[in-house]
């Protein structure tokens, strides 16, 4: 992912793993959406939010992208405060590279 702004130095193993997975999704759009959010917010996430993030990294990129873009409804198990934070971050323009 280009435009990486955060080093994993100083993060605990769990946060380093989540940061890496968020940046290396396989679908460029999701690298930017989830990776950009993780770059900016990984240190501020609570343990509960981090668990929600880990769960959000499991579904296929196309599904998560459809939820973020609003082309498919968000399943209740993923409709969390963290998901809303990710969407707000992305649509605010803060998640855009460069």
């Amino acid at each position: 992912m280009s435009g990486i702004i955060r080093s994993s130095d100083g993060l605990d193993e769990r946060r380093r793993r989540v940061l890496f997975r968020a940046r290396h999704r396989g679908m460029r759009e999701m690298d930017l959406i989830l990776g950009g959010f993780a770059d900016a917010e990984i240190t501020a996430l609570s343990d509960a939010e981090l668990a929600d993030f880990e769960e959000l990294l499991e579904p296929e990129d196309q599904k998560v992208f459809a939820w973020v873009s609003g082309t498919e409804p968000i399943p209740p198990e993923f409709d969390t405060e963290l998901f809303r934070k990710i969407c707000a971050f992305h649509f605010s323009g803060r998640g855009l590279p460069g």
Side-chain angles (χ1 to χ4, degrees):
M1 178 182 141
S2 63
I4 294 173
I5 59 169
R6 188 191 203 304
S7 167
S8 61
D9 291 344
L11 294 178
D12 60 65
E13 179 63 29
R14 183 180 181 199
R15 289 176 196 278
R16 280 196 307 265
R17 187 173 48 251
V18 169
L19 183 61
F20 180 86
R21 289 183 64 206
R23 290 176 176 164
H24 298 89
R25 301 297 306 152
M27 186 175 160
R28 179 79 174 137
E29 293 84 354
M30 293 313 299
D31 290 350
L32 295 171
I33 292 168
L34 295 179
F37 178 81
D39 278 340
E41 301 294 330
I42 194 74
T43 59
L45 297 178
S46 69
D47 286 340
E49 289 172 322
L50 196 56
D52 286 344
F53 204 165
E54 289 169 318
E55 289 295 318
L56 189 59
L57 295 172
E58 294 303 319
E60 293 179 9
D61 285 346
Q62 292 81 359
K63 284 285 185 191
V64 181
F65 185 75
W67 303 336
V68 171
S69 65
T71 59
E72 286 188 22
I74 306 160
E77 64 269 24
F78 294 106
D79 190 10
T80 63
E81 183 61 33
L82 177 75
F83 184 82
R84 290 184 286 281
K85 277 185 177 181
I86 291 169
C87 291
F89 178 84
H90 173 66
F91 289 111
S92 73
R94 291 178 43 212
L96 298 176

